[in-house]
Amino acid sequence: MELAMKIKSKVAGIPGLVSIISALLGLAYFNVEYLTKMNTSISPYVFFIMASVFSGIVGLFSKKSRLYAIWGLGIGIFLVVHLILMIFFSININYKP
């Protein structure tokens, strides 16, 4: 019983750390993509965002990793809003005035 409590206490902080690490990786991927102007698939970017948001939501229920989860969730939501706005603005560009 005591061993299970030790394992549970160590695992409780993982979702928040996963959230902030994946959010920072997504942010780094976002910056590298725009600085180098590479035209790659959007799937790695979306994967990092989804991992950040989902693990941030799970991490909110843990007392150990709540701060990391909030930061990861905030960065993930920022990246989602930016992605939606960039798609919206690129659709509204009038190439032939």
Side-chain angles (χ1 to χ4, degrees):
M1 188 69 170
E2 189 175 316
L3 180 63
M5 293 298 286
K6 286 183 182 180
I7 292 173
K8 186 177 179 182
S9 67
K10 288 183 181 180
V11 174
I14 291 177
L17 289 174
V18 169
S19 175
I20 196 163
I21 288 171
S22 62
L24 291 175
L25 285 174
L27 198 59
Y29 184 81
F30 165 77
N31 287 329
V32 167
E33 184 179 80
Y34 282 108
L35 287 174
T36 59
K37 297 180 183 175
M38 61 182 183
N39 296 325
T40 60
S41 172
I42 200 164
S43 61
Y45 182 61
V46 172
F47 170 74
F48 287 130
I49 293 173
M50 299 274 285
S52 170
V53 170
F54 288 138
S55 60
I57 291 171
V58 171
L60 285 176
F61 297 109
S62 171
K63 290 183 181 178
K64 271 190 160 183
S65 65
R66 189 169 293 157
L67 180 64
Y68 296 137
I70 290 171
W71 273 99
L73 195 59
I75 295 171
I77 290 173
F78 165 75
L79 291 173
V80 167
V81 168
H82 180 270
L83 182 65
I84 291 170
L85 286 176
M86 286 298 113
I87 291 171
F88 176 72
F89 290 143
S90 66
I91 288 173
N92 287 331
I93 293 175
N94 189 4
Y95 291 110
K96 297 179 182 178

